[in-house]
Amino acid sequence: MEFPKESSIEETTALEYLFSRLSGLRKLKRNKASIVGLCIILVFIVLALFPNVIAPYHPFTTFRSRQSPSSEHWFGTDTLGRDVFSNVIWGVRTTFYIGTACVLIELVIGLLMGGLAGYLGGWIDDLLMRITDIILALPTLIVLILAVSMFKVRSINIIILVMGLIGWPYMARVIRSQVLSIKTTPYVEAAKAMGATTQRIIFRHILPNIILPIVILITIHFAGYVLWEASLTFLGLGDPNSFSWGVMIMAGKNVLRSCPWISTYPGLFLFIMLIALQILGDGLRDIFDIRV
Amino acid sequence: MRLRNYIFRRLLMIVPLFFFTTILVFTLIHLAPGDPVMIMFGTSTPYMKDIVKEMRETYGLDKPLYIQYFIWLSRVFRGDLGYSYLNTRKVIQMISERGWPTIELMVLALVFSVVISTVFGVFAAVKRHSIFDNLITTTAVLGRGMPNFWLAMNLILIFSIYLGWLPVFGRFTVGAVFSSPFGYWLDRIKHLILPVISLSAFQIAYFTRLIRSTMLDVLGQEYIITARAKGLKESVVIYKHALKNALLPVVTVVGIYIGSLMGGAAIIESLFAWPGMGRLLVNSTYRREYQVLMSLNMIIIFMVLVSNLITDVVYAYLDPRIKY
Amino acid sequence: MSKLLEIRDLKTYYFTRDGVVKAVDGVSLGMEKGENLGIAGESGSGKSTLGLSILRLVRTPGRIVGGEILFKGEDILKKSYDEMRRIRGAEISIIFQDPTSSLNPVYTIGDQIGEAITLHQHKVGGGMLNWLLGRFNLSRAREVNEKVEEILRETGISDASKRRGDYPHQFSGGMRQRAMIAMALSCTPDLLIADEPTTNLDVTIEAQILELMKELQKEFDTAFILISHNLGTISELCDKIAIMYAGNLMELSDIKTLFESPKHPYTEALLEAIPRLGSRGKRLSSIPGDIPDLIDPPQGCNFHPRCKYMIDGICNRYTPPFIEVEPGIKVSCFKYIPKSELSGLGL
Amino acid sequence: MIKKPESLIELENIKKYFPIRGGIISKVVSSVHAVDGVTFNIRKGETFGLVGESGCGKTTTGRIIIGLEKATEGTIMFEGLDLNRIAESEVRELRRKMGAIFQDPHLSLDPRMRIGSVIREPLDIQGFVNKSEKDEAVLKILEKVRLEPSYINRFPHELSGGEKQRVAIARALINNPEFLLADEPISSVDVSIRSQILNLIKDLIEELGLTCLFISHDLSVIEYMSDRVGVMYLGRLVELAPVETLYDNPQHPYTEALLSAIPVPGERSKERIILKGVVPSPINPPSGCRFRTRCPYVSIKCSKEEPKFFEIEKDHLVACNLRS
């Protein structure tokens, strides 16, 4: 019995599994929308990492104010004379910072609570379900307005913390149902029958199998947080001296008639990002046909 | 009969939920640093300090939090919602003035979004892979990417500023009341169009996609093939057999949607200077109007809980599998 | 006596994104008036698609691409949509494998059975308007309800008047299948297609349903097409049996000869591979290999990769013709073509 | 007294009740009597067939033996050791001697792991460290289940149903257990592949000298695989006998009805016992003999007296008042 040379049995990383599913599936080619979404997101990531390379001026350098879009200032300048295009590019970084931070908070709490409730069940499950029912019943934006208004100085991190704390039940609920469905599958039961410890079952069987649904959820919730933050800053409850698009759109509100470009272009970037995240999420959902 | 005691049981469950949320909101508001008195008078000048102290006592702001909550609660039961600190008007009066504009806005947006998304969602599912379906799906994707405030500003730009068809903000032009009743109502409608569209656009996109996917699931079920095998017309198969099953999940989502509609109203009202509760809520958060804030939130939470109850009852009525 | 049903070279393909699945690839068979036909085959053999094609219920991405289906001499494929609607439920009806998902969960059993009766027996246009107006036409409603209760009683559902108002989830598996049979037979069709009716039921409930179907067949004089993977169930109810494999018809013969002297190698191997009562001593033979992929089926005869009589150069290049080896027995296999004719194929 | 052939597993009055919770604080309202007092033993090297319709408790019994469910009552002895009383670590050591295969091949392998690591998992769990030793064992067992070595690097979604079941068998036997639980291993596998899997299991049992509990609802499969057979109805054993005696002269009316109900290809003439009614609900099973509601020979005694499970002849037990 000759042992196949090219590979011995070793750990399969999530990536290998993803490629085997993708290579085996011709769906990827057909799903152009998700590829477009992915490219836009990648472009945004590059913008977020190196804003100074693309942005012609430093966002705070002031020029003659209220200039309409011209060759020097592609998106014109705002009421304080700052170049709108550079601000929008720097805004990409803030938006990504907000989205990723919120999603991380939501993921940590959601995984913990959802995982415990799903795997252990019993009173933890009931408790979590009660909390999520209450938070889902509340009008989220109203609660956000109240929670954010609690703080005298409203920095970006405070807003992120608040949004993460209000958003986690959505993630916890989905993780709980995913864990519940995986826990009862025959391959987990077979592992239990073999005497596998709970810790091994969680890390070798349950966690790897909920990565994909979580990735899809992250794309959707990322868009949700970005939208929440923009709405908050638009209402004047955001962090005024951050480069968030919501601040720029709000600033352009009063001078809409005279210089509409101030709020239109930041809004356009926000629009493109939300669309890209959405089609990426839908595409992934279609390729791996996971109902989240 | 059993439906009645199901509703009764659900009403019983609302009471604790209602108290718990009001306590949550109360602590949230009062934990916020700074209070209305300080905002009004500022503590910069020394002699202001004793006036501020005196004012705090009259408003009972110096008592421990839980006492303030019970004072507030006892007053609410007596129907006295207290006074607004700034313009010393009765809170109940302020809210009742602004109640109707918001309800008008929300009801229209709700009806608008549910009806349109059902029609488009069902059509897109039935005529799958047609241009009609692709058109609707792409607009739904675009709709879900458009924040309501940015959409509102674009609409104002196009329809009010460039084309000048519709008013930029406000609820009615001042002189309209005295013109003919037709003129008055035409003016009211003209004012309503942009706010309602921008408030409901996001939800129309969300619901259309939801209804389309539930409808597609249902159309793939076996009982649809059985219905066709009985010789029923395709229209009966779709609108009798498929539609009722497809709308079930939508009913629950509409319940939750009421809450987010209230949030959207806050934004749209402040943008269109619409004299509603949402705008009052946003302004009173800036100005720390505790009494106004508490009453507004009480009403909003009550509306959300009642709407959830209604949707659950409607769901239990529609789906016989639910045991109540 | 004209044939009740004759299928000539029927082809139904599924145009999926991964390729064209030839679910039914050139099947021809016929049925007389009082006869019952069993269609046996494993999953993926195309037997269910054949059943659905007869009623033209194949939905995208499936499409009937060729052949004829003559029902009482007229070709169903050429009929208009409305003519076809009048046949469905009245002249040909169908019941499915999983009664839990083939009944609409949000309407009562009485309503769903009454629908077919109102449509076919009261000659009422089947549109939405008629359905809505029909609810107010009390006399007709009472008449339909009586018929519903009668058909429910006949299919062995006790206290039919109460059960008529119940919903599908209040019925047990066996009762739901009885309700399906009641719905299918409510307009006395000439042909009932039963697609794996008892597969999801326990043995004792299956026996009840098979017994019921035998009685109803005599009473309603309805011909049955029983589609199943279980040869025992088919031999219980049918006289003629057709064996399907990977979209093709392998053998068509009557019950007795099929079990005593199976002709086609696949039937032979299948009979030896299925455990049967009294088979505790003998070792089951097993068919090597796996079910072929219908998107690119094997060249020539679909079964040749797993067949022990495979003739190299012939079976894996040419598709065997479907010929009559004995009166009423047809096989598609080169084993039964004499050597001389084989050379005729230019080998 | 000749020593009874040494039995590997002994079950003594095993009961398993699943609580049903109701009301607002979800207190236990009633319970499903899934297994209600089952006593039998499985002798070393024997294949014990457990048969019964859906809901009779056969799967739950299997799960109790391999430790996936905890018995509400009764004792399980494995190789003479009472699993309830010995230390947890020792129980884990006994679990190593048990292998299990389940019904649905498509879900019995972790979709994210390669076939090699799936088969190797029992060795990892038991703490084997030496890598090449483990790889060698995987290759040996792969050859036993007649799969090429190249399957090691494949993922489960690239395999057919039959192949996946072979991998599940390899995983169950890699740790050379003494006992194999096969719970409906072929119900969801294509007909022509079933005999391949059955023969594979039969050969491996002989080759490795395994003791097996084979669970199925299909009596012909049970006859082909088992040496002794137990028939279960609504949570209780109604008959237990060597396979020849049970199939040639069944004593319990339920076994008789089951055997006569099986449609046999080719023979249509034989008179068949058709049982009336439906299996009663396990939440409150009928008093006395549980089969009385459907038994063709029911008498008044049946509803009062609970039939004893007694030995009607050597090694042939039955629970029926008519026979005692």
Side-chain angles (χ1 to χ4, degrees):
Chain A
M1 170 61 62
E2 211 273 321
F3 191 79
K5 276 288 159 294
E6 70 287 358
S7 72
S8 75
I9 313 160
E10 69 308 296
E11 293 319 310
T12 43
T13 58
L15 228 58
E16 276 172 316
Y17 169 67
L18 278 180
F19 282 118
S20 90
R21 283 301 293 266
L22 290 184
S23 58
L25 297 173
R26 282 175 290 279
K27 284 186 189 165
L28 182 67
K29 285 200 296 300
R30 265 197 313 287
N31 217 297
K32 294 181 201 57
S34 63
I35 297 175
V36 166
L38 193 62
C39 297
I40 297 176
I41 301 286
L42 291 180
V43 164
F44 272 123
I45 290 174
V46 167
L47 287 181
L49 293 176
F50 317 103
N52 38 31
V53 168
I54 292 114
Y57 314 99
H58 185 275
F60 279 164
T61 49
T62 52
F63 305 86
R64 193 164 53 77
S65 64
R66 299 176 194 243
Q67 288 174 37
S68 64
S70 59
S71 60
E72 294 141 53
H73 299 290
W74 289 345
F75 288 173
T77 60
D78 62 14
T79 47
L80 301 174
R82 289 173 302 188
D83 173 53
V84 174
F85 179 69
S86 321
N87 273 299
V88 166
I89 297 297
W90 280 84
V92 173
R93 169 175 283 199
T94 349
T95 313
F96 256 88
Y97 170 65
I98 293 165
T100 9
C102 286
V103 159
L104 277 181
I105 298 172
E106 170 189 62
L107 200 56
V108 167
I109 309 176
L111 258 178
L112 202 65
M113 291 293 283
L116 283 177
Y119 195 75
L120 300 178
W123 61 271
I124 302 178
D125 197 3
D126 296 341
L127 177 69
L128 175 77
M129 276 303 115
R130 293 291 85 73
I131 298 175
T132 35
D133 291 347
I134 292 173
I135 291 193
L136 292 182
L138 286 180
T140 41
L141 205 55
I142 306 287
V143 172
L144 264 176
I145 294 169
L146 278 171
V148 167
S149 63
M150 257 170 65
F151 300 93
K152 197 86 191 88
V153 60
R154 279 188 290 278
S155 79
I156 279 271
N157 302 333
I158 303 279
I159 294 175
I160 289 171
L161 196 65
V162 168
M163 287 204 288
L165 288 178
I166 289 176
W168 68 264
Y170 293 90
M171 175 70 90
R173 214 161 55 120
V174 174
I175 289 180
R176 171 185 170 275
S177 64
Q178 289 285 335
V179 167
L180 263 180
S181 65
I182 292 171
K183 189 177 80 167
T184 50
T185 52
Y187 62 81
V188 168
E189 304 229 295
K192 269 193 204 140
M194 288 183 240
T197 58
T198 320
Q199 181 248 1
R200 178 185 170 85
I201 287 178
I202 288 181
F203 288 101
R204 280 306 302 277
H205 290 297
I206 291 187
L207 278 183
N209 281 295
I210 56 173
I211 290 174
L212 276 178
I214 287 184
V215 164
I216 293 169
L217 252 178
I218 283 177
T219 49
I220 299 162
H221 287 201
F222 193 100
Y225 285 119
V226 166
L227 193 55
W228 272 0
E229 188 274 336
S231 315
L232 271 179
T233 37
F234 179 77
L235 284 174
L237 294 165
D239 172 1
N241 43 39
S242 71
F243 302 112
S244 131
W245 290 332
V247 172
M248 295 181 215
I249 298 174
M250 182 186 83
K253 181 175 79 169
N254 314 334
V255 290
L256 199 56
R257 186 180 295 274
S258 55
C259 25
W261 55 84
I262 296 173
S263 55
T264 318
Y265 288 109
L268 191 65
F269 265 58
L270 178 62
F271 173 65
I272 293 168
M273 173 177 273
L274 292 176
I275 298 287
L277 282 167
Q278 199 190 118
I279 42 181
L280 178 61
D282 292 349
L284 288 176
R285 215 192 305 232
D286 185 28
I287 292 172
F288 298 106
D289 54 59
I290 290 168
R291 300 197 67 77
V292 166
Chain B
M1 214 303 284
R2 285 170 50 248
L3 185 64
R4 230 180 291 119
N5 58 33
Y6 169 70
I7 296 175
F8 183 69
R9 259 206 326 267
R10 282 302 305 265
L11 278 173
L12 270 183
M13 272 164 60
I14 279 191
V15 171
L17 210 56
F18 179 72
F19 274 109
F20 181 76
T21 29
T22 39
I23 290 168
L24 180 78
V25 169
F26 193 87
T27 32
L28 218 57
I29 293 173
H30 283 71
L31 280 182
D35 56 38
V37 180
M38 260 207 289
I39 291 171
M40 272 192 286
F41 298 99
T43 54
S44 52
T45 46
Y47 68 86
M48 269 304 176
K49 277 214 173 26
D50 43 34
I51 296 178
V52 162
K53 205 163 72 53
E54 191 196 300
M55 287 292 281
R56 282 171 67 88
E57 266 130 31
T58 47
Y59 285 117
L61 293 177
D62 50 2
K63 293 197 182 57
L65 216 52
Y66 61 91
I67 295 182
Q68 286 185 39
Y69 177 74
F70 285 115
I71 296 169
W72 171 76
L73 207 60
S74 54
R75 271 219 227 97
V76 162
F77 279 117
R78 287 203 304 281
D80 154 24
L81 291 181
Y83 289 83
S84 140
Y85 300 129
L86 288 182
N87 46 32
T88 63
R89 286 180 58 214
K90 276 179 79 61
V91 171
I92 201 157
Q93 206 190 3
M94 286 171 72
I95 289 179
S96 51
E97 280 160 14
R98 287 181 164 70
W100 180 242
T102 302
I103 291 168
E104 175 187 68
L105 203 59
M106 279 178 63
V107 165
L108 271 177
L110 181 66
V111 166
F112 207 51
S113 50
V114 170
V115 166
I116 288 188
S117 48
T118 313
V119 169
F120 282 147
V122 168
F123 256 64
V126 166
K127 298 194 169 38
R128 195 171 183 197
H129 295 317
S130 64
I131 359 113
F132 192 87
D133 176 24
N134 296 342
L135 191 69
I136 288 183
T137 330
T138 18
T139 14
V141 166
L142 297 181
R144 278 185 71 215
M146 191 115 40
N148 48 25
F149 50 89
W150 188 58
L151 171 70
M153 290 166 92
N154 288 342
L155 290 176
I156 292 173
L157 257 176
I158 299 162
F159 291 102
S160 310
I161 296 172
Y162 292 144
L163 299 174
W165 291 344
L166 295 172
V168 176
F169 55 82
R171 212 163 144 246
F172 46 83
T173 31
V174 177
V177 176
F178 311 107
S179 65
S180 66
F182 172 71
Y184 169 72
W185 281 110
L186 182 67
D187 179 76
R188 283 290 303 280
I189 291 162
K190 269 181 152 177
H191 279 82
L192 268 169
I193 291 174
L194 286 191
V196 168
I197 291 176
S198 28
L199 185 56
S200 52
F202 186 90
Q203 291 306 341
I204 290 180
Y206 179 79
F207 278 161
T208 309
R209 201 170 144 276
L210 177 73
I211 292 174
R212 177 178 177 274
S213 68
T214 44
M215 193 68 181
L216 282 177
D217 284 349
V218 167
L219 284 173
Q221 297 286 337
E222 236 177 46
Y223 53 80
I224 297 296
I225 304 175
T226 322
R228 286 199 189 103
K230 276 189 262 185
L232 296 175
K233 254 197 169 111
E234 196 62 14
S235 56
V236 174
V237 170
I238 291 173
Y239 296 112
K240 177 184 177 190
H241 284 272
L243 191 58
K244 192 172 179 189
N245 284 286
L247 287 185
L248 285 179
V250 177
V251 166
T252 31
V253 170
V254 166
I256 300 165
Y257 163 45
I258 306 278
S260 70
L261 194 59
M262 195 61 220
I267 296 173
I268 295 300
E269 282 173 14
S270 57
L271 193 69
F272 283 96
W274 195 265
M277 285 200 288
R279 188 153 169 251
L280 179 63
L281 178 84
V282 172
N283 296 346
S284 50
T285 340
Y286 296 150
R287 296 197 210 92
R288 288 284 179 290
E289 294 264 24
Y290 291 153
Q291 301 295 358
V292 175
L293 271 180
M294 268 318 290
S295 327
L296 270 178
N297 276 297
M298 193 176 68
I299 293 166
I300 294 167
I301 290 166
F302 185 74
M303 254 166 41
V304 168
L305 293 179
V306 164
S307 69
N308 282 352
L309 170 65
I310 294 168
T311 38
D312 282 354
V313 167
V314 166
Y315 191 94
Y317 175 73
L318 283 178
D319 186 345
R321 286 165 290 190
I322 306 285
K323 286 194 279 306
Y324 41 72
Chain C
M1 199 172 54
S2 82
K3 282 210 171 191
L4 176 67
L5 177 76
E6 202 183 337
I7 302 173
R8 292 203 193 108
D9 195 20
L10 176 69
K11 287 191 173 67
T12 311
Y13 295 167
Y14 283 83
F15 298 87
T16 65
R17 286 193 288 202
D18 300 334
V20 177
V21 175
K22 301 188 178 67
V24 173
D25 195 8
V27 164
S28 318
L29 53 88
M31 253 181 87
E32 300 304 332
K33 191 82 179 68
E35 244 177 19
N36 293 343
L37 168 67
I39 302 179
E42 297 177 68
S43 56
S45 60
K47 53 189 191 308
S48 298
T49 315
L50 181 61
L52 288 174
S53 308
I54 294 171
L55 270 163
R56 273 172 54 190
L57 285 171
V58 178
R59 283 288 145 199
T60 48
R63 216 158 27 81
I64 299 176
V65 291
E68 289 165 346
I69 303 177
L70 305 174
F71 178 67
K72 292 187 199 160
E74 292 152 20
D75 185 357
I76 287 185
L77 300 184
K78 305 227 171 8
K79 285 198 183 288
S80 76
Y81 169 68
D82 279 328
E83 280 162 351
M84 196 60 210
R85 251 178 7 87
R86 268 190 289 285
I87 291 178
R88 286 189 194 138
E91 292 174 49
I92 310 177
S93 48
I94 190 165
I95 56 174
F96 295 105
Q97 168 176 349
D98 181 6
T100 36
S101 63
S102 47
L103 285 169
N104 194 326
V106 290
Y107 288 101
T108 63
I109 294 287
D111 182 356
Q112 296 187 50
I113 297 178
E115 252 179 339
I117 297 174
T118 333
L119 190 66
H120 292 296
Q121 284 165 13
H122 291 271
K123 292 291 169 285
V124 159
M128 278 302 287
L129 206 58
N130 302 90
W131 173 57
L132 292 171
L133 290 177
R135 294 161 81 101
F136 305 108
N137 181 336
L138 289 178
S139 66
R140 193 180 71 194
R142 218 174 301 108
E143 215 181 288
V144 165
N145 286 342
E146 268 147 34
K147 286 218 183 81
V148 167
E149 278 165 29
E150 192 205 322
I151 189 79
L152 281 176
R153 262 192 295 281
E154 259 169 64
T155 50
I157 295 181
S158 51
D159 61 64
S161 54
K162 179 201 164 298
R163 300 301 292 218
R164 180 168 55 81
D166 283 352
Y167 286 92
H169 68 279
Q170 293 162 308
F171 278 57
S172 73
M175 299 296 272
R176 262 186 234 129
Q177 199 62 310
R178 285 173 190 271
M180 275 298 291
I181 294 169
M183 189 191 302
L185 296 177
S186 55
C187 304
T188 59
D190 299 332
L191 172 65
L192 173 65
I193 302 171
D195 187 353
E196 303 257 14
T198 57
T199 308
N200 285 14
L201 304 177
D202 282 318
V203 175
T204 48
I205 311 290
E206 172 179 40
Q208 287 173 10
I209 299 292
L210 291 178
E211 206 54 35
L212 171 71
M213 285 170 84
K214 267 191 246 170
E215 284 152 23
L216 290 177
Q217 202 211 342
K218 289 192 207 69
E219 214 180 303
F220 283 78
D221 180 25
T222 313
F224 274 53
I225 290 185
L226 179 61
I227 300 173
S228 174
H229 68 277
N230 183 333
L231 289 172
T233 325
I234 288 179
S235 70
E236 200 53 46
L237 211 63
C238 307
D239 328 318
K240 281 174 67 183
I241 181 165
I243 306 284
M244 277 188 77
Y245 180 79
N248 297 106
L249 194 54
M250 294 298 169
E251 184 168 350
L252 178 66
S253 80
D254 58 70
I255 291 290
K256 226 164 91 26
T257 26
L258 185 102
F259 288 106
E260 270 145 22
S261 66
K263 299 287 183 293
H264 196 282
Y266 172 62
T267 326
E268 199 185 309
L270 206 56
L271 288 177
E272 277 159 22
I274 299 172
R276 277 187 271 163
L277 281 186
S279 68
R280 49 182 179 266
K282 309 195 285 311
R283 180 175 173 81
L284 286 177
S285 82
S286 60
I287 310 172
D290 235 323
I291 311 270
D293 167 13
L294 287 178
I295 290 181
D296 46 52
Q299 247 282 339
C301 162
N302 276 344
F303 185 61
H304 84 262
R306 305 173 78 186
C307 176
K308 53 183 191 265
Y309 305 99
M310 201 264 279
I311 312 161
D312 193 17
I314 299 174
C315 292
N316 50 12
R317 276 184 48 217
Y318 301 101
T319 4
F322 193 50
I323 46 155
E324 193 158 10
V325 285
E326 278 167 30
I329 315 283
K330 290 185 181 168
V331 178
S332 94
C333 175
F334 286 112
K335 232 173 87 173
Y336 297 90
I337 298 176
K339 263 277 169 279
S340 57
E341 270 169 44
L342 277 188
S343 54
L345 286 170
L347 297 181
Chain D
M1 202 273 277
I2 47 130
K3 195 173 170 317
K4 196 147 68 73
E6 205 214 296
S7 54
L8 185 67
I9 291 175
E10 278 151 44
L11 299 177
E12 190 56 41
N13 192 17
I14 292 292
K15 288 193 172 136
K16 179 64 186 177
Y17 295 164
F18 292 106
I20 299 173
R21 297 186 181 280
I24 300 158
I25 38 122
S26 74
K27 77 175 164 32
V28 177
V29 175
S30 60
S31 62
V32 176
H33 302 253
V35 178
D36 208 352
V38 160
T39 311
F40 66 92
N41 58 29
I42 306 173
R43 296 173 190 143
K44 245 191 200 342
E46 173 192 50
T47 302
F48 187 93
L50 203 55
V51 69
E53 292 183 308
S54 46
C56 72
K58 55 188 187 297
T59 300
T60 316
T61 312
R63 286 166 65 92
I64 289 172
I65 293 175
I66 57 169
L68 282 176
E69 298 276 358
K70 191 115 187 48
T72 322
E73 242 181 78
T75 55
I76 317 167
M77 309 280 281
F78 186 84
E79 282 178 346
L81 298 163
D82 179 347
L83 291 186
N84 296 359
R85 260 190 275 303
I86 52 173
E88 182 50 32
S89 60
E90 240 188 299
V91 173
R92 255 162 65 75
E93 178 49 30
L94 287 179
R95 288 280 178 260
R96 187 191 64 74
K97 294 183 179 162
M98 298 185 188
I101 47 177
F102 298 100
Q103 170 172 356
D104 180 357
H106 303 293
L107 273 173
S108 61
L109 309 178
D110 184 334
R112 211 198 59 71
M113 288 160 77
R114 286 184 197 274
I115 300 302
S117 18
V118 166
I119 298 178
R120 200 193 56 212
E121 193 167 11
L123 304 180
D124 300 341
I125 289 175
Q126 295 302 332
F128 284 74
V129 181
N130 180 327
K131 201 141 167 18
S132 64
E133 202 185 277
K134 283 197 265 189
D135 295 350
E136 202 44 48
V138 169
L139 276 172
K140 207 151 55 63
I141 200 76
L142 256 184
E143 196 217 332
K144 277 211 169 63
V145 292
R146 295 184 193 78
L147 285 176
E148 293 95 19
S150 66
Y151 271 63
I152 285 180
N153 303 321
R154 297 247 195 107
F155 279 96
H157 60 83
E158 296 162 17
L159 270 61
S160 76
E163 284 161 344
K164 281 187 202 156
Q165 201 63 320
R166 287 168 186 274
V167 169
I169 294 169
R171 172 179 61 189
L173 302 181
I174 190 163
N175 219 341
N176 40 60
E178 283 171 39
F179 170 73
L180 171 69
L181 168 73
D183 187 352
E184 303 259 13
I186 45 114
S187 323
S188 44
V189 170
D190 294 318
V191 180
S192 58
I193 316 286
R194 283 184 184 175
S195 51
Q196 287 173 17
I197 304 289
L198 289 178
N199 289 340
L200 178 64
I201 296 175
K202 224 174 177 16
D203 301 343
L204 287 173
I205 288 174
E206 251 139 56
E207 198 182 322
L208 306 170
L210 291 171
T211 311
C212 173
L213 174 63
F214 194 93
I215 297 177
S216 173
H217 64 278
D218 185 334
L219 274 146
S220 356
V221 169
I222 287 284
E223 182 187 21
Y224 180 64
M225 294 299 286
S226 354
D227 306 325
R228 274 192 325 146
V229 177
V231 180
M232 279 184 79
Y233 184 79
L234 210 58
R236 286 220 181 107
L237 267 174
V238 290
E239 189 159 2
L240 194 152
V243 66
E244 305 80 18
T245 1
L246 191 102
Y247 279 78
D248 293 347
N249 92 76
Q251 290 301 314
H252 196 280
Y254 180 59
T255 320
E256 245 178 311
L258 272 182
L259 287 172
S260 84
I262 302 167
V264 174
E267 297 155 34
R268 196 164 358 146
S269 57
K270 71 176 168 46
E271 215 290 308
R272 301 173 63 207
I273 311 168
I274 309 289
L275 292 180
K276 305 189 300 310
V278 183
V279 182
S281 115
I283 296 174
N284 34 48
S287 62
C289 167
R290 295 185 161 199
F291 183 56
R292 64 180 172 77
T293 54
R294 303 175 75 200
C295 180
Y297 319 105
V298 68
S299 69
I300 336 108
K301 212 165 70 159
C302 296
S303 54
K304 285 203 269 327
E305 245 174 76
E306 199 145 316
K308 294 189 306 313
F309 194 49
F310 69 101
E311 203 162 16
I312 189 166
E313 55 180 350
K314 172 100 185 53
D315 221 358
H316 184 175
L317 298 105
V318 79
C320 176
N321 294 330
L322 199 64
R323 296 285 186 259
S324 62

